[in-house]
Amino acid sequence: MPDGSIAPSRRSVVVTEFTNSVLDPAAAMLGPVENGGTIIANTAPGCWGPMITPRLRGGHEVTTPVRVNGAEVGDAVAIRIRDITVTSAATASGHDSSPEGFCLGDPYVAARCPVCDTVWPETHVEGIGPDAVKCDRCGNPVTPFRIVHGYTVTFDETRSVGVTLPAAAAETIARDADSFAALPDGSRQHSILTFAPSDMPGTLVRMRPFLGQLGTCPSTAMPDSHNAGDFGAFLVGAPHDYAISAEDLARHKTDGHMDIDAVRAGAIIVCPVKVPGAGVYMGDMHAGQGDGEIAGHTMDVAGSVTLQVEVVKDYPIDGPVLFPLAEDLPPLARPFTPAEMAKGQRLAAKWGVGDIEPLAPVSVIGTAPNLNAAIENGLERAATLLGITVPEVRNRATINGAIEIGRAPGVIQVTFLAPLARLDAVGLGGYAREQYGL
């Protein structure tokens, strides 16, 4: 509120505003939304659009964070993803390179014009193609990123499949890029459709939309795409205004940038609270992606999102926990069927085992500069969450789960069947029962 007071909480908050790609806990939040309330947003595409828009100070353009009533530092917010709907009719993407001279240390965070030396220059679009983004001050093309091998893809009306386009069709779409991208009114990015890449025409793709960014505000100002242990490592000792130490990165980040394809409609994600009110934000919707996002980028789209939020008190870890849809679980981490349980009970009785402990799927997120370190981070978080040892987590993830890659270079999921009593002890057992019908 203008006088510094907090507005009354609302049952639902509709978000139409975006950050300048920086998540800043000192900036005003929207809301608050009541505990158990709903957040609705129309999200802007991530990655390539912001990457070719130098005024944006991060790799995405996420929604303005929303305060959640009752969320305090040390808690978590459980987010039920009620709906994700793609609104873009087309997008473009591809593997990237970063030309010399177009940034101050990090092209995602501090783009610059090499002619007039302006950092975060205002730009405009002239024509189409990879040199279409021009510096307002000197007219030079400003290209902090180039597409090495790319594609333009358009989607069917049901948003179930897409097909990549030849050059002529890509150029037709490029001339009306903002409309085909369905950029929200509040978005300030240049659409990557303007570049009209067409290196892979005639490829059919499936759509399976999810959110690459979903989480809570970090406790220091941080470029949105760097709110994770892998991309965040690029901030350590950087030559721009958002430089940070490794220790401060670990303390402040919330790992909202996961690029985990299971963060889709129907899933439940539990996110740590590091600022009063949590600051729930979202963005970087992907039309689909294979594990690892190995090209570095995928099909970024605009879309509508509905979330329901709920405060979890006294959360014991500093990163997210995911309860994916049952079909997204690794085979060994899926709940046992009644037939399997019956066989197990007969086997246990034969050998005098006694009761079989109730188990439930859980997926603990780990992030770090590389995948090996991210696995260690995920194992340690899982052990802390459940109050067991890392060796026990290793065993459970081996015989009743899997390590899955969210994003190279350093986002993983430690997914396994955990003792339900341990999840109950930290207030998460109910979400497992709800999600898996236990």
Side-chain angles (χ1 to χ4, degrees), residues 57-84:
R57 303 186 180 196
H60 300 130
E61 191 178 23
V62 299
T63 56
T64 299
V66 175
R67 183 183 297 273
V68 180
N69 196 35
E72 301 171 333
V73 175
D75 294 338
V77 173
I79 303 172
R80 295 176 175 89
I81 307 173
R82 296 302 193 191
D83 179 69
I84 295 176

PDB file of all heavy atoms in Angstrom, residues 57-84:
ATOM      1  N   ARG A  57      17.371  -7.738 -17.566  1.00  0.00           N
ATOM      2  CA  ARG A  57      18.613  -8.043 -16.865  1.00  0.00           C
ATOM      3  C   ARG A  57      18.702  -9.484 -16.400  1.00  0.00           C
ATOM      4  O   ARG A  57      19.279  -9.794 -15.344  1.00  0.00           O
ATOM      5  CB  ARG A  57      18.777  -7.073 -15.692  1.00  0.00           C
ATOM      6  CG  ARG A  57      18.746  -5.621 -16.151  1.00  0.00           C
ATOM      7  CD  ARG A  57      19.053  -4.647 -15.057  1.00  0.00           C
ATOM      8  NE  ARG A  57      19.014  -3.273 -15.560  1.00  0.00           N
ATOM      9  CZ  ARG A  57      19.529  -2.229 -14.930  1.00  0.00           C
ATOM     10  NH1 ARG A  57      20.127  -2.397 -13.761  1.00  0.00           N
ATOM     11  NH2 ARG A  57      19.437  -1.021 -15.445  1.00  0.00           N
ATOM     12  N   GLY A  58      18.094 -10.373 -17.149  1.00  0.00           N
ATOM     13  CA  GLY A  58      18.155 -11.790 -16.844  1.00  0.00           C
ATOM     14  C   GLY A  58      17.651 -12.566 -18.044  1.00  0.00           C
ATOM     15  O   GLY A  58      17.181 -11.995 -19.024  1.00  0.00           O
ATOM     16  N   GLY A  59      17.699 -13.879 -17.964  1.00  0.00           N
ATOM     17  CA  GLY A  59      17.361 -14.690 -19.111  1.00  0.00           C
ATOM     18  C   GLY A  59      15.885 -14.934 -19.318  1.00  0.00           C
ATOM     19  O   GLY A  59      15.499 -15.565 -20.299  1.00  0.00           O
ATOM     20  N   HIS A  60      15.032 -14.432 -18.417  1.00  0.00           N
ATOM     21  CA  HIS A  60      13.594 -14.639 -18.545  1.00  0.00           C
ATOM     22  C   HIS A  60      12.859 -13.342 -18.236  1.00  0.00           C
ATOM     23  O   HIS A  60      13.482 -12.342 -17.874  1.00  0.00           O
ATOM     24  CB  HIS A  60      13.120 -15.751 -17.597  1.00  0.00           C
ATOM     25  CG  HIS A  60      13.772 -17.061 -17.852  1.00  0.00           C
ATOM     26  ND1 HIS A  60      14.355 -17.817 -16.861  1.00  0.00           N
ATOM     27  CD2 HIS A  60      13.970 -17.759 -18.991  1.00  0.00           C
ATOM     28  CE1 HIS A  60      14.872 -18.919 -17.381  1.00  0.00           C
ATOM     29  NE2 HIS A  60      14.655 -18.902 -18.670  1.00  0.00           N
ATOM     30  N   GLU A  61      11.558 -13.386 -18.366  1.00  0.00           N
ATOM     31  CA  GLU A  61      10.692 -12.257 -17.999  1.00  0.00           C
ATOM     32  C   GLU A  61       9.561 -12.847 -17.166  1.00  0.00           C
ATOM     33  O   GLU A  61       8.540 -13.277 -17.692  1.00  0.00           O
ATOM     34  CB  GLU A  61      10.168 -11.569 -19.258  1.00  0.00           C
ATOM     35  CG  GLU A  61       9.482 -10.251 -18.997  1.00  0.00           C
ATOM     36  CD  GLU A  61       9.021  -9.570 -20.277  1.00  0.00           C
ATOM     37  OE1 GLU A  61       8.832 -10.265 -21.298  1.00  0.00           O
ATOM     38  OE2 GLU A  61       8.835  -8.344 -20.258  1.00  0.00           O
ATOM     39  N   VAL A  62       9.763 -12.918 -15.846  1.00  0.00           N
ATOM     40  CA  VAL A  62       8.828 -13.623 -14.973  1.00  0.00           C
ATOM     41  C   VAL A  62       7.803 -12.658 -14.390  1.00  0.00           C
ATOM     42  O   VAL A  62       7.963 -11.437 -14.434  1.00  0.00           O
ATOM     43  CB  VAL A  62       9.572 -14.369 -13.837  1.00  0.00           C
ATOM     44  CG1 VAL A  62      10.511 -15.416 -14.411  1.00  0.00           C
ATOM     45  CG2 VAL A  62      10.317 -13.404 -12.934  1.00  0.00           C
ATOM     46  N   THR A  63       6.760 -13.229 -13.810  1.00  0.00           N
ATOM     47  CA  THR A  63       5.701 -12.413 -13.221  1.00  0.00           C
ATOM     48  C   THR A  63       6.165 -11.744 -11.934  1.00  0.00           C
ATOM     49  O   THR A  63       7.022 -12.263 -11.210  1.00  0.00           O
ATOM     50  CB  THR A  63       4.459 -13.269 -12.926  1.00  0.00           C
ATOM     51  OG1 THR A  63       4.832 -14.361 -12.076  1.00  0.00           O
ATOM     52  CG2 THR A  63       3.844 -13.803 -14.210  1.00  0.00           C
ATOM     53  N   THR A  64       5.574 -10.596 -11.647  1.00  0.00           N
ATOM     54  CA  THR A  64       5.842  -9.909 -10.379  1.00  0.00           C
ATOM     55  C   THR A  64       5.446 -10.829  -9.226  1.00  0.00           C
ATOM     56  O   THR A  64       4.350 -11.388  -9.223  1.00  0.00           O
ATOM     57  CB  THR A  64       5.042  -8.601 -10.311  1.00  0.00           C
ATOM     58  OG1 THR A  64       5.455  -7.759 -11.392  1.00  0.00           O
ATOM     59  CG2 THR A  64       5.277  -7.885  -8.989  1.00  0.00           C
ATOM     60  N   PRO A  65       6.322 -11.004  -8.229  1.00  0.00           N
ATOM     61  CA  PRO A  65       6.007 -11.925  -7.128  1.00  0.00           C
ATOM     62  C   PRO A  65       4.754 -11.522  -6.352  1.00  0.00           C
ATOM     63  O   PRO A  65       4.439 -10.333  -6.215  1.00  0.00           O
ATOM     64  CB  PRO A  65       7.261 -11.844  -6.244  1.00  0.00           C
ATOM     65  CG  PRO A  65       8.362 -11.477  -7.193  1.00  0.00           C
ATOM     66  CD  PRO A  65       7.721 -10.535  -8.174  1.00  0.00           C
ATOM     67  N   VAL A  66       4.071 -12.538  -5.837  1.00  0.00           N
ATOM     68  CA  VAL A  66       2.846 -12.351  -5.065  1.00  0.00           C
ATOM     69  C   VAL A  66       3.099 -12.768  -3.617  1.00  0.00           C
ATOM     70  O   VAL A  66       3.600 -13.869  -3.351  1.00  0.00           O
ATOM     71  CB  VAL A  66       1.688 -13.189  -5.654  1.00  0.00           C
ATOM     72  CG1 VAL A  66       0.443 -13.078  -4.776  1.00  0.00           C
ATOM     73  CG2 VAL A  66       1.384 -12.747  -7.077  1.00  0.00           C
ATOM     74  N   ARG A  67       2.734 -11.877  -2.710  1.00  0.00           N
ATOM     75  CA  ARG A  67       2.845 -12.177  -1.282  1.00  0.00           C
ATOM     76  C   ARG A  67       1.745 -13.158  -0.872  1.00  0.00           C
ATOM     77  O   ARG A  67       0.598 -13.027  -1.289  1.00  0.00           O
ATOM     78  CB  ARG A  67       2.708 -10.879  -0.483  1.00  0.00           C
ATOM     79  CG  ARG A  67       2.869 -11.027   1.022  1.00  0.00           C
ATOM     80  CD  ARG A  67       2.633  -9.697   1.720  1.00  0.00           C
ATOM     81  NE  ARG A  67       3.631  -8.727   1.314  1.00  0.00           N
ATOM     82  CZ  ARG A  67       4.825  -8.578   1.898  1.00  0.00           C
ATOM     83  NH1 ARG A  67       5.145  -9.362   2.915  1.00  0.00           N
ATOM     84  NH2 ARG A  67       5.665  -7.663   1.477  1.00  0.00           N
ATOM     85  N   VAL A  68       2.117 -14.152  -0.048  1.00  0.00           N
ATOM     86  CA  VAL A  68       1.160 -15.135   0.472  1.00  0.00           C
ATOM     87  C   VAL A  68       0.951 -14.862   1.957  1.00  0.00           C
ATOM     88  O   VAL A  68       1.917 -14.840   2.737  1.00  0.00           O
ATOM     89  CB  VAL A  68       1.658 -16.580   0.260  1.00  0.00           C
ATOM     90  CG1 VAL A  68       0.648 -17.582   0.817  1.00  0.00           C
ATOM     91  CG2 VAL A  68       1.916 -16.843  -1.212  1.00  0.00           C
ATOM     92  N   ASN A  69      -0.273 -14.651   2.348  1.00  0.00           N
ATOM     93  CA  ASN A  69      -0.583 -14.322   3.732  1.00  0.00           C
ATOM     94  C   ASN A  69      -0.167 -15.458   4.666  1.00  0.00           C
ATOM     95  O   ASN A  69      -0.500 -16.617   4.439  1.00  0.00           O
ATOM     96  CB  ASN A  69      -2.086 -14.059   3.878  1.00  0.00           C
ATOM     97  CG  ASN A  69      -2.429 -13.349   5.167  1.00  0.00           C
ATOM     98  OD1 ASN A  69      -1.663 -12.517   5.644  1.00  0.00           O
ATOM     99  ND2 ASN A  69      -3.582 -13.666   5.727  1.00  0.00           N
ATOM    100  N   GLY A  70       0.608 -15.127   5.698  1.00  0.00           N
ATOM    101  CA  GLY A  70       1.019 -16.108   6.694  1.00  0.00           C
ATOM    102  C   GLY A  70       2.326 -16.802   6.400  1.00  0.00           C
ATOM    103  O   GLY A  70       2.814 -17.569   7.235  1.00  0.00           O
ATOM    104  N   ALA A  71       2.916 -16.567   5.222  1.00  0.00           N
ATOM    105  CA  ALA A  71       4.187 -17.216   4.885  1.00  0.00           C
ATOM    106  C   ALA A  71       5.339 -16.445   5.512  1.00  0.00           C
ATOM    107  O   ALA A  71       5.535 -15.259   5.225  1.00  0.00           O
ATOM    108  CB  ALA A  71       4.364 -17.285   3.374  1.00  0.00           C
ATOM    109  N   GLU A  72       6.103 -17.122   6.348  1.00  0.00           N
ATOM    110  CA  GLU A  72       7.216 -16.498   7.054  1.00  0.00           C
ATOM    111  C   GLU A  72       8.519 -17.197   6.681  1.00  0.00           C
ATOM    112  O   GLU A  72       8.526 -18.346   6.223  1.00  0.00           O
ATOM    113  CB  GLU A  72       6.992 -16.587   8.567  1.00  0.00           C
ATOM    114  CG  GLU A  72       5.701 -15.907   9.026  1.00  0.00           C
ATOM    115  CD  GLU A  72       5.388 -16.187  10.490  1.00  0.00           C
ATOM    116  OE1 GLU A  72       5.817 -17.252  10.999  1.00  0.00           O
ATOM    117  OE2 GLU A  72       4.717 -15.349  11.113  1.00  0.00           O
ATOM    118  N   VAL A  73       9.625 -16.485   6.885  1.00  0.00           N
ATOM    119  CA  VAL A  73      10.933 -17.062   6.596  1.00  0.00           C
ATOM    120  C   VAL A  73      11.102 -18.356   7.389  1.00  0.00           C
ATOM    121  O   VAL A  73      10.830 -18.413   8.592  1.00  0.00           O
ATOM    122  CB  VAL A  73      12.050 -16.059   6.951  1.00  0.00           C
ATOM    123  CG1 VAL A  73      13.426 -16.701   6.764  1.00  0.00           C
ATOM    124  CG2 VAL A  73      11.935 -14.798   6.099  1.00  0.00           C
ATOM    125  N   GLY A  74      11.519 -19.419   6.711  1.00  0.00           N
ATOM    126  CA  GLY A  74      11.629 -20.743   7.333  1.00  0.00           C
ATOM    127  C   GLY A  74      10.457 -21.646   7.054  1.00  0.00           C
ATOM    128  O   GLY A  74      10.516 -22.854   7.341  1.00  0.00           O
ATOM    129  N   ASP A  75       9.392 -21.084   6.472  1.00  0.00           N
ATOM    130  CA  ASP A  75       8.251 -21.902   6.047  1.00  0.00           C
ATOM    131  C   ASP A  75       8.470 -22.358   4.608  1.00  0.00           C
ATOM    132  O   ASP A  75       9.532 -22.161   4.023  1.00  0.00           O
ATOM    133  CB  ASP A  75       6.951 -21.091   6.123  1.00  0.00           C
ATOM    134  CG  ASP A  75       6.561 -20.713   7.540  1.00  0.00           C
ATOM    135  OD1 ASP A  75       7.027 -21.385   8.488  1.00  0.00           O
ATOM    136  OD2 ASP A  75       5.788 -19.741   7.698  1.00  0.00           O
ATOM    137  N   ALA A  76       7.440 -22.943   4.037  1.00  0.00           N
ATOM    138  CA  ALA A  76       7.390 -23.248   2.603  1.00  0.00           C
ATOM    139  C   ALA A  76       6.009 -22.897   2.097  1.00  0.00           C
ATOM    140  O   ALA A  76       5.067 -22.704   2.884  1.00  0.00           O
ATOM    141  CB  ALA A  76       7.700 -24.718   2.338  1.00  0.00           C
ATOM    142  N   VAL A  77       5.892 -22.789   0.783  1.00  0.00           N
ATOM    143  CA  VAL A  77       4.584 -22.647   0.142  1.00  0.00           C
ATOM    144  C   VAL A  77       4.391 -23.852  -0.768  1.00  0.00           C
ATOM    145  O   VAL A  77       5.213 -24.105  -1.657  1.00  0.00           O
ATOM    146  CB  VAL A  77       4.483 -21.340  -0.669  1.00  0.00           C
ATOM    147  CG1 VAL A  77       3.177 -21.311  -1.452  1.00  0.00           C
ATOM    148  CG2 VAL A  77       4.567 -20.130   0.259  1.00  0.00           C
ATOM    149  N   ALA A  78       3.326 -24.610  -0.511  1.00  0.00           N
ATOM    150  CA  ALA A  78       2.953 -25.715  -1.397  1.00  0.00           C
ATOM    151  C   ALA A  78       2.085 -25.143  -2.513  1.00  0.00           C
ATOM    152  O   ALA A  78       1.095 -24.452  -2.250  1.00  0.00           O
ATOM    153  CB  ALA A  78       2.204 -26.795  -0.637  1.00  0.00           C
ATOM    154  N   ILE A  79       2.488 -25.402  -3.752  1.00  0.00           N
ATOM    155  CA  ILE A  79       1.796 -24.847  -4.919  1.00  0.00           C
ATOM    156  C   ILE A  79       1.187 -25.987  -5.719  1.00  0.00           C
ATOM    157  O   ILE A  79       1.901 -26.839  -6.257  1.00  0.00           O
ATOM    158  CB  ILE A  79       2.769 -24.046  -5.805  1.00  0.00           C
ATOM    159  CG1 ILE A  79       3.441 -22.924  -4.991  1.00  0.00           C
ATOM    160  CG2 ILE A  79       2.056 -23.488  -7.015  1.00  0.00           C
ATOM    161  CD1 ILE A  79       4.559 -22.222  -5.746  1.00  0.00           C
ATOM    162  N   ARG A  80      -0.127 -26.020  -5.764  1.00  0.00           N
ATOM    163  CA  ARG A  80      -0.823 -26.966  -6.637  1.00  0.00           C
ATOM    164  C   ARG A  80      -0.989 -26.309  -8.009  1.00  0.00           C
ATOM    165  O   ARG A  80      -1.591 -25.227  -8.113  1.00  0.00           O
ATOM    166  CB  ARG A  80      -2.182 -27.342  -6.066  1.00  0.00           C
ATOM    167  CG  ARG A  80      -2.126 -28.117  -4.750  1.00  0.00           C
ATOM    168  CD  ARG A  80      -3.533 -28.348  -4.224  1.00  0.00           C
ATOM    169  NE  ARG A  80      -3.549 -29.182  -3.037  1.00  0.00           N
ATOM    170  CZ  ARG A  80      -3.448 -28.727  -1.778  1.00  0.00           C
ATOM    171  NH1 ARG A  80      -3.303 -27.425  -1.562  1.00  0.00           N
ATOM    172  NH2 ARG A  80      -3.479 -29.559  -0.753  1.00  0.00           N
ATOM    173  N   ILE A  81      -0.462 -26.941  -9.033  1.00  0.00           N
ATOM    174  CA  ILE A  81      -0.565 -26.394 -10.390  1.00  0.00           C
ATOM    175  C   ILE A  81      -1.883 -26.878 -10.981  1.00  0.00           C
ATOM    176  O   ILE A  81      -2.014 -28.026 -11.407  1.00  0.00           O
ATOM    177  CB  ILE A  81       0.629 -26.825 -11.260  1.00  0.00           C
ATOM    178  CG1 ILE A  81       1.947 -26.481 -10.563  1.00  0.00           C
ATOM    179  CG2 ILE A  81       0.552 -26.139 -12.625  1.00  0.00           C
ATOM    180  CD1 ILE A  81       3.174 -27.018 -11.281  1.00  0.00           C
ATOM    181  N   ARG A  82      -2.877 -25.992 -10.959  1.00  0.00           N
ATOM    182  CA  ARG A  82      -4.214 -26.376 -11.391  1.00  0.00           C
ATOM    183  C   ARG A  82      -4.352 -26.408 -12.909  1.00  0.00           C
ATOM    184  O   ARG A  82      -5.068 -27.236 -13.462  1.00  0.00           O
ATOM    185  CB  ARG A  82      -5.244 -25.412 -10.802  1.00  0.00           C
ATOM    186  CG  ARG A  82      -5.337 -25.421  -9.286  1.00  0.00           C
ATOM    187  CD  ARG A  82      -5.679 -26.797  -8.749  1.00  0.00           C
ATOM    188  NE  ARG A  82      -6.065 -26.752  -7.332  1.00  0.00           N
ATOM    189  CZ  ARG A  82      -6.212 -27.828  -6.575  1.00  0.00           C
ATOM    190  NH1 ARG A  82      -5.983 -29.025  -7.108  1.00  0.00           N
ATOM    191  NH2 ARG A  82      -6.557 -27.719  -5.315  1.00  0.00           N
ATOM    192  N   ASP A  83      -3.649 -25.475 -13.609  1.00  0.00           N
ATOM    193  CA  ASP A  83      -3.807 -25.419 -15.059  1.00  0.00           C
ATOM    194  C   ASP A  83      -2.610 -24.743 -15.699  1.00  0.00           C
ATOM    195  O   ASP A  83      -2.065 -23.774 -15.151  1.00  0.00           O
ATOM    196  CB  ASP A  83      -5.080 -24.652 -15.434  1.00  0.00           C
ATOM    197  CG  ASP A  83      -5.270 -24.556 -16.933  1.00  0.00           C
ATOM    198  OD1 ASP A  83      -5.546 -25.598 -17.560  1.00  0.00           O
ATOM    199  OD2 ASP A  83      -5.112 -23.451 -17.488  1.00  0.00           O
ATOM    200  N   ILE A  84      -2.183 -25.256 -16.842  1.00  0.00           N
ATOM    201  CA  ILE A  84      -1.192 -24.613 -17.707  1.00  0.00           C
ATOM    202  C   ILE A  84      -1.709 -24.741 -19.139  1.00  0.00           C
ATOM    203  O   ILE A  84      -1.902 -25.852 -19.632  1.00  0.00           O
ATOM    204  CB  ILE A  84       0.192 -25.268 -17.589  1.00  0.00           C
ATOM    205  CG1 ILE A  84       0.773 -25.078 -16.182  1.00  0.00           C
ATOM    206  CG2 ILE A  84       1.139 -24.707 -18.634  1.00  0.00           C
ATOM    207  CD1 ILE A  84       2.108 -25.781 -15.982  1.00  0.00           C
TER     208      ILE A  84
END
